[in-house]
Each structure stands twice: as C-alpha cells, then as structure tokens.
Amino acid sequence: MAELMAAGEEPEILFWVGCAGSYDERAQKITRDICKILHHVGIKYAVLGTEESCTGDPAKRAGNEFLFQMQAMTNIEVLNAYNIKKIVTGCPHCFNTIKNEYPGLGGTYEVIHHTQLIQDLINEGKLKAEGGESFKGKKITYHDPCYLGRGNGIYEAPRKALEVLDAQLVEMKRCKSNGLCCGAGGAQMFKEPEKGNKDINVERIDEALQTNPQVIAAGCPFCMTMLSDGIKLKDKEQEVKVLDIAEITARANGL
Amino acid sequence: MVAQILFLVLTLAAIALFTVNLRKIIRNIRLGKPVDRKDQPQKRLMTMLRVAFGQSKMVVRPIPAFLHFFVYIGFVIINIEVLEIMIDGLFGTHRIFNGLGGLYNFLIGSFEILAFTVWVSCAIFLVRRNILKLKRFSGVEMKSWPKSDANYILIIEILLMSAFLLMNAADAKLQLLGASHYINAGAFPVSQYLMNILPSSENALVIVERSCWWFHIIGILAFLNYLPYSKHFHILFAFPNTYFSNLEPKGEFTNMASVTNEVKAMLDPSFVPAETEPGKFGAKDVTDLSWVNLMNAYTCTECGRCTSVCPANITGKLLSPRKIMMDTRDRITEVGQNIDKHGAEHQDGKSLLDDYISREEIWACTSCNACVEACPVNIDPLQIIMELRRFAVMEESQAPGSINAMMGNIENNQAPWKYSPADRFNWAQES
C-alpha cells in the first residue's frame, strides 16, 4: 500500500489479509489464492503488508475492550491515512469487526468478505469455472462460519461461488442459520476447551462426514484449522479435502 | 347479589395483586443500566408483529410450533369469552353476548373447538416432558421448581379448558331441559359429547354449571397471579421483548464508550474526555447489566432451544444459555426481594458471577450466536456472557492463562500469535 501511495495511485480495493492469513501456513495458501483471483480478473488491489495489525477481534470476544479499541483505533488511523474506501477480507472475523465495530470508532468503509467478492465477479461474468481442475459432480458440503452466517446473514454468496462449479452441493443437517460452530470463535481458538465429552470440531466433522463429501468447503481460516484437525483425527485426509472457497475458485480457474 | 359482590371483590383483588407484582418486576428491570432501544420504531414494530404475534421463529421446529400455535390462538381468542364472563359476573346476566345471534353461536362453537385443541396440545406437551422425556427439557437447570413450574402451567391450562367445556355441556343440557335463566344460546360442537356424563336433574346440572363457571374464572384470576412467579410470563413479555430486541447484525458487539474515552486519551494526550461517572467495566452482578438483559431474563420461558443448539452444551460443557437466563432472573428477583426487605442500599455480598454463573461456563462460549438465533422471542444470552467476561478481564485480570498469552501477543506483536510483526508480509514471498 505504501508503494502505491508513493506512486500517487489509489487501489480499487484493499485486501485485508488478517493474522491467520499472514502467519498461519495453511491460511497463507488461501491468502495467495485470493491474490491470484484478484490478479486474474484485473482488479487493482493493495495490501497493508507489515502495516496491518490484528483487528482486535479475539481481544474483544475475550472481554478485553481496551485492547480491542487500541487495535481498532490504530488500524483506523492507518486505513484513513491511505484514504481506503473498500476492503475485502479473507476472514469472517476481520470482516465482522471492520464492517460493524469500526464505524463507531471513526472507520467507515465498504467491507466485503472474499466469498462475496467471488460471487460479485461471477455475477458480472468476470469469473467462471474454466481452465482448471474440474469439480463437476463432486460432492461438496459447505460449512457456514458463524461470523459470516448468523453474525452477518451471508449464506448465499459462498454457495453461489460453489454452484458455478456444477458440483453436487450437499447440505449438512445443521446449516445456514442453524449451522454448528467449528469451535474456534469467541477466542476459543487460543485456548483449550473446557471440560466436556467431545470437542466441538469433532462433532462438526462427524456431521460433515455423514454427507459423504469429497470436499468440505470453508470460508474462514479458523474454521479451516478446526475442520482440518477434525479430518486428521478421523484419518480421512486422503478421501476428504478441506478447502477454502477461494482455493476452490482458484483451482477451478487453473490459477 | 352476593355472588356479584363476591365476583367484584375477587376480580379487583386479583388485579390489584397482579399490579403490585408487575410493578415490582418493572422496578427490577429498571435497576439495569440504560441502553437506547427506541430507534427505528417502525422496524421494531414489524419485528414484534413478525416474531411475537406471528411466531415466525417457532416454525423451525414444526411439531411444537403447531401445538404451541393452538395454545397461543386459544389463549388469545378465548379471552373474548372471558370478557363475557366478566360482564355476566358483574351484572348477574347470563351469556350477555347472546344478542349477536348467529355470530354468537359461531363464536362459542369456535371457542369450544379451540378449548379442545388447547386441551389436547397441553396433554401432548405433558407427555413430551414427562413420558417421552425430551432432552431439551432436561439439564442441570431444569430440576425442582423449573420442572414443576412447567407441569403446573400445563395442568392448570388443562383444568381451565376442562371446566370451560363442562360448563358448556351443563349449560347445553339445561337449555334442553328448558331451565329458566338458561336461554337458548351458543353452539356446542365439543361439549355436546360430554352431556352424557353429567347428571340429569336440573338442580345438579345448575351446581355443575355454576361450579365450573366459578372454577374457570377464579382459575384465570389465580393464573394471572401465578405468572409473576413463573416462567410463563413470556405470554406478556414476549411482545415488549421482541420490540426492544437488537436490530443490528448479530456479529456486532457494542463498543464501550467509557473505554473509547480512555483509549483516545491514551493515544492522543491532548484529548480531554467529557466528564463521565466512573463505572465498572462489564458486569459482576445483575445491576451491571442493561435493562434489556434483565427484561430478557423475565421473558425466558425455559424452552431450551438455545441450549439445544449451543455447541458447548452439545459437547458436554457446563455452559447452558438457558441457565444463564434463569440465573439472571433468579438473581434479579433476589436483589428485588432484598430491596423490599432491607431497603435499596442493602448488600447481600452475593453476585451473578460466581454465586450463580461460574467462570467455567462463561469461558466455554464460542460467541457463535446460535442461542440468539434459536430464541423464539429474541432473547440474547450471549450479551450477558460477554459482559461477565468483560468484568473478569478488565476489572479482575482473571482470564484463562492462554487467553492472557493471546492478549499479550496482540499487545506486543499485533497478532494473537507470537510472530514478529516484521514477518507479517512473508506470505507473499513463498509459494
């Protein structure tokens, strides 16, 4: 972003990568695929690079409003300094926080999640599913991330992105507004679960496996971790792939 | 004449007692912190009409929705009959609305059919709770009083409907006998089948008819006064509760204004915050919660839809969103009783956090909003959990160790993990 600014240019959209997308090895792949998609359709985008920092979401959900607002205001200062208007995020948690909780602190932007971007590109005819891996007829089940689905009512965009594949979409019993959490939200990602009789991600994977999928589609780096761990635990890594919608889109287009 | 005076006294006493108890509950709700829920009145009205009147969130589970609909419609419609009973009771008349003619017959006939469907629905509800033992109605919080409360309500409703139908059956039989005072009025599609079990003498029939009439109306007045002690309060509070419910996206949590001032002052030394009274961060006790949280607690009818979709509860953790609401209600009731007995300044040394809700419960929440989505009357247990977490973290610095580590990382490395900020852009190099 700093380079673009120095060249006196403004991006069409800022890609907010997020901490998971920046540091988590698995999520880095998703980040690169989102970049490939942006590049493929010729959108002029920028990232903040080392100037990006945590949105404060996990701190807020853990109850630390101080730390959240410190992060939020620092980020808003950076975003406003670059005159950012539109943001796409690779993470529903970043998406929710910037979209809903930043405006009250002085940061108002048009914020979309990457699955919405993909849906828009498909609707505009700029993105198809051709030239790459064929998902035709494959059984795909989509896991709704809480902060995209229930949190913000976005259920259709990710499904639209999958429909274009001509794959066989199967819904889990608990889906859309009734979707079951992967177990990572509310800062659970960073702690051991409380005493119980099952891990939440295992409960979810059991349900996903009941649909006999070849692919479990995700839209959140935390869900990705939880679902992948579940699949590993069930020893199903060979038969079932857990892929982000961005990865599926990139593969289908041979990017 | 004696009967009329007795009726008047009973009715006035019941209304007075109910008013006293209702005012106490409203006072208790007002002990909560202010929150503005008066914006967008049109949208609020629509939400209330859709969710409370229209029962839109009940349809997710079709069987209870169907049965509940009968009980709900029965309750609303049969109240027209109560109006007639009131007038008859006060003026010593009999079936005063008889003048409506064909319409009256239609109304009484409909009431009978509804009374029958309410009866059957309540009976099925009892079977679901006590014989089929549905999982949703069990759980640690559903022992003792809450369990009996639910059964009492269903039994009272069955008794009220039985009295109503028996009364009509006796009335119909008296009409056939041509008894004086019992004018020919009403249609009796259900109670006609009960006529055979009734005695045939006119005197005995009058006793049955009068007993049922009195039982029915005294039952209704008693039930009205049972409400403030019961989970059944939802029949009234569902309406304001949905009207004042959160209209923002569920993922959005409130930004605390008190914190904003401090953070602004920290980041910009020249910033002078407006004078605000120093308050607590988050909630330790019910009076630290907002009045909407407290109204939520009084509205909860303990149906358990929240708990049955809670990922923590499903996987055997201690957390149950229904228990969060029941604890909040029990504690605010206790605080209210303390005020009544010992005055407003009394402290009993107890609090919602720890004495009612444990740390283990609040830290098990994934903030997934499934409980909020599932509630048929828009109750928000998540907000209470978050306020308790805010207190634990900001007032006491009492978070689980790994959460403290995560927050330390954000402070030092601007990421929840221990990575160097300088490495944040490394993802672009590899592939």
Side-chain angles (χ1 to χ4, degrees), chain B residues 92-119:
Chain B
T93 47
H94 187 70
R95 298 198 180 266
I96 184 82
F97 293 159
N98 172 40
L100 296 171
L103 178 64
Y104 185 75
N105 289 355
F106 171 76
L107 282 175
I108 294 293
S110 320
F111 297 157
E112 286 221 336
I113 291 166
L114 282 169
F116 180 68
T117 54
V118 170
W119 199 103

Side-chain angles (χ1 to χ4, degrees), chain A residues 19 23 32 52-54 60-62 65 69 96 101 146-147 150-151 185-186 188 190-191 194 197-198, chain B residues 250-251 253-256 260 315 317 363 365-368 386 389-390 393 402 414 420 424 427 430:
Chain A
C19 298
Y23 294 114
R32 287 191 287 267
E52 195 185 281
S53 81
C54 175
K60 192 178 180 88
R61 313 298 137 179
E65 183 73 7
Q69 291 202 12
N96 174 67
E101 291 161 2
C146 303
Y147 278 84
R150 269 190 301 273
Q188 295 293 334
F190 307 98
K191 62 186 267 296
E194 271 60 33
N197 52 32
K198 197 175 186 182
Chain B
K250 289 192 188 69
F253 290 12
T254 51
N255 290 329
M256 294 169 70
T260 310
T315 56
K317 276 86 177 172
W363 287 112
C365 174
T366 69
S367 76
C368 75
M386 284 312 304
R389 278 190 184 185
R390 281 173 171 174
V393 170
S402 44
Q414 287 81 54
S420 162
R424 191 177 266 273
W427 59 265
E430 306 149 33

Side-chain angles (χ1 to χ4, degrees), chain B residues 324-343:
Chain B
I324 299 287
M325 299 319 300
M326 291 167 69
D327 285 343
T328 303
R329 177 175 174 156
D330 288 349
R331 176 57 187 158
I332 188 64
T333 305
E334 187 178 49
V335 169
Q337 283 166 353
N338 282 337
I339 293 175
D340 293 336
K341 280 187 205 148
H342 312 288

Side-chain angles (χ1 to χ4, degrees), chain A residues 15 17-24 28 31-32 35 47 49-50 52-54 56 58-71 73-74 77 96 99-102 104-105 146-147 150-152 155 174 177-181 183-200 203 222, chain B residues 60 249-257 259-264 266-267 281 308-312 314-318 359-371 373 382 386 389-391 393-394 400 402-403 406-408 410-411 413-417 419-431:
Chain A
F15 172 28
V17 179
C19 298
S22 300
Y23 294 114
D24 181 272
Q28 283 178 343
T31 303
R32 287 191 287 267
C35 290
V47 294
T50 53
E52 195 185 281
S53 81
C54 175
K60 192 178 180 88
R61 313 298 137 179
N64 195 337
E65 183 73 7
F66 272 106
L67 186 52
F68 161 70
Q69 291 202 12
M70 290 285 282
Q71 289 298 118
M73 286 192 207
T74 316
E77 219 168 287
N96 174 67
K99 177 175 178 285
N100 295 322
E101 291 161 2
Y102 278 21
L105 300 170
C146 303
Y147 278 84
R150 269 190 301 273
N152 287 286
Y155 302 108
R174 288 172 283 197
S177 63
N178 192 31
L180 181 76
C181 174
Q188 295 293 334
M189 182 73 192
F190 307 98
K191 62 186 267 296
E192 286 303 312
E194 271 60 33
K195 198 162 61 63
N197 52 32
K198 197 175 186 182
D199 280 337
I200 296 172
E203 169 82 11
F222 297 111
Chain B
V60 180
K250 289 192 188 69
E252 178 180 343
F253 290 12
T254 51
N255 290 329
M256 294 169 70
V259 171
T260 310
N261 283 334
E262 297 208 18
V263 172
K264 273 189 182 159
M266 233 185 302
L267 294 174
F281 292 122
S308 73
V309 295
C310 172
I314 288 169
T315 56
K317 276 86 177 172
L318 215 51
R359 311 270 164 159
E360 188 177 337
E361 289 166 68
I362 62 169
W363 287 112
C365 174
T366 69
S367 76
C368 75
N369 262 307
C371 55
E373 178 75 36
L382 176 54
M386 284 312 304
R389 278 190 184 185
R390 281 173 171 174
F391 179 83
V393 170
M394 288 192 282
S402 44
I403 289 286
M406 174 270 286
M407 294 189 296
I410 294 181
E411 261 175 79
N413 310 320
Q414 287 81 54
W417 298 286
Y419 294 112
S420 162
D423 293 339
R424 191 177 266 273
F425 202 22
N426 288 3
W427 59 265
Q429 265 91 60
E430 306 149 33
S431 65

